[in-house]
Amino acid sequence: MANNSLSDRETALVSLDAIQSLIDVLVASRYQVCGPTVRDGAIVYDSIASVSDLPAGWTDHQEAGRYRLERRDDAALFGFAVGPQSWKRFLHPPIHKLWEVRNTEQGLAIADTNEPPPRFAFIGVRACEIHAIAIQDRVFCDGPYVDPVYGARRRETFIVAVNCAQAGGTCFCVSMQTGPKAQAGYDLALTELLDASTHEFLVEVGSPAGAEVLRQIPHRPAAHTHCAAAEAVVAHTATQMGRSLDTDGIRQLLQGNPNHPRWDEVADRCLSCGNCTMVCPTCFCTTVEDHSDLAGQSAERVRKWDSCFTMDFSYIHGGSVRMTARSRYRQWMTHKLANWIDQFGTSGCVGCGRCITWCPVGIDLTEEAAAIRATGHAGKEEKHGGT
């Protein structure tokens, strides 16, 4: 994990070729290097081995219920916002085998499923996603009950952040105070500086591990002009937000309006598909399933991502607690923006906009909150960002 302090901070300038050196150094350090790549018409996160795997020259156009890739007029490596996947899929895997039992000649035997966790190096982590990882750190690692699967994977993670040079049509990280610049939680942070004659990256060091990796790749000192250019990139991105969310008193607003008519209106459109929870970088709900083979020779228990939009999620003997789309959407949005604050001291939203983009019917969380604020009973309260 990154451990940021002011004394760790230093800046440098690296070339495009040095990004390949960065990948090579991480691979040599036995990291599984993961980053953005183009596949199936989207920018997804997967294992990468070279700069050629990165989405050079691609960008994304996002609106409510819409996502498409488009070609840029330059060769930027990180000239896009965020795609359908988050880093959650590596740290909190969608399916994880908890245990397996087999029928042997000596009787039932518990199979060993305790494989060493992978050592991940993430390249291209946005500021909002760093905040999302910090939120999941609280959920899984703080308090008396620690998730060993998440903890083992998170402990060894090396994070290379990328400060956003372009906001998406559904981004609202400025509203949540989670971006577009990564302030902490990384080992190295890149800002892509690209013009007609140069393609370079300003590198900020965020941890001793990051400093050690930087020493192993070609770099040179960053001048004041480079730092100023990087600040200008981030400042420009902050003005590009496609959405905004008024977080003033949001907790009291949602908790105080459980019967607002807007919940009925959104329920008429909501498909209860759970897309919003699957693409969300902070949602953490799971279910447990038991499986056995037809021959009766083995059985296993697996943990899988689940969603508060499924009927069975709130099942208690006799039936589901939340039978309607109205109650399920209200549960999700109120938990995300209000009750999460009671549980973990922070909002559960980081403003990445994925839930808006990947909703099949284009339901917009920021629009729903604004509609309730316009006619609901709101109170004054401290603003809450992503972490």
Side-chain angles (χ1 to χ4, degrees), residues 179-354:
K181 178 177 172 56
Q183 302 288 352
Y186 59 81
D187 296 290
L188 294 173
L190 308 177
T191 305
E192 193 164 14
L193 304 177
L194 180 62
D195 58 31
S197 59
T198 60
H199 192 173
E200 299 175 311
F201 297 82
L202 181 77
V203 183
E204 297 173 73
V205 175
S207 75
E212 176 59 29
V213 169
L214 180 61
R215 279 194 286 271
Q216 299 178 63
I217 65 176
H219 66 279
R220 65 184 191 275
H224 174 73
T225 53
H226 299 126
C227 296
E231 291 175 0
V233 167
V234 173
H236 178 67
T237 306
T239 68
Q240 294 180 316
M241 295 291 109
R243 296 290 193 277
S244 64
L245 176 66
D246 184 358
T247 62
D248 188 20
I250 190 78
R251 172 176 167 271
Q252 187 170 340
L253 174 71
L254 295 180
Q255 291 179 347
N257 288 278
N259 298 312
H260 195 281
R262 187 70 182 191
W263 300 122
D264 292 310
E265 295 176 31
V266 72
D268 288 339
R269 293 174 288 144
C270 180
L271 304 178
S272 290
C273 66
N275 262 21
C276 51
T277 59
M278 294 297 104
V279 298
C280 177
T282 65
C283 279
F284 58 87
C285 294
T286 57
T287 188
V288 173
E289 295 180 355
D290 292 331
H291 305 145
S292 60
D293 68 348
L294 294 176
Q297 295 301 303
S298 67
E300 65 180 16
R301 175 167 291 177
V302 297
R303 184 176 71 181
K304 301 173 65 176
W305 285 359
D306 202 353
S307 170
C308 52
F309 283 92
T310 63
M311 285 286 288
D312 288 344
F313 184 77
S314 65
Y315 181 87
I316 300 177
H317 62 281
S320 175
V321 172
R322 290 183 282 273
M323 297 290 293
T324 64
R326 175 186 188 274
S327 62
R328 292 194 289 274
Y329 187 88
R330 181 183 61 191
Q331 156 65 21
W332 174 73
M333 182 170 165
T334 303
H335 186 210
K336 183 68 58 179
L337 297 178
N339 298 344
W340 208 299
I341 298 169
D342 294 329
Q343 286 182 279
F344 305 112
T346 178
S347 173
C349 176
V350 296
C352 69
R354 286 182 173 96

Side-chain angles (χ1 to χ4, degrees), residues 89-134:
R89 66 182 292 263
F90 300 101
L91 301 176
H92 176 46
I95 301 176
H96 177 74
K97 184 186 294 186
L98 297 175
W99 54 259
E100 180 181 0
V101 62
R102 296 171 184 164
N103 192 6
T104 69
E105 293 181 357
Q106 290 75 37
L108 295 179
I110 302 294
D112 183 11
T113 58
N114 295 319
E115 298 180 357
R119 299 179 73 234
F120 289 118
F122 297 154
I123 295 181
V125 186
R126 307 308 175 111
C128 63
E129 297 180 309
I130 290 177
H131 280 267
I133 292 172

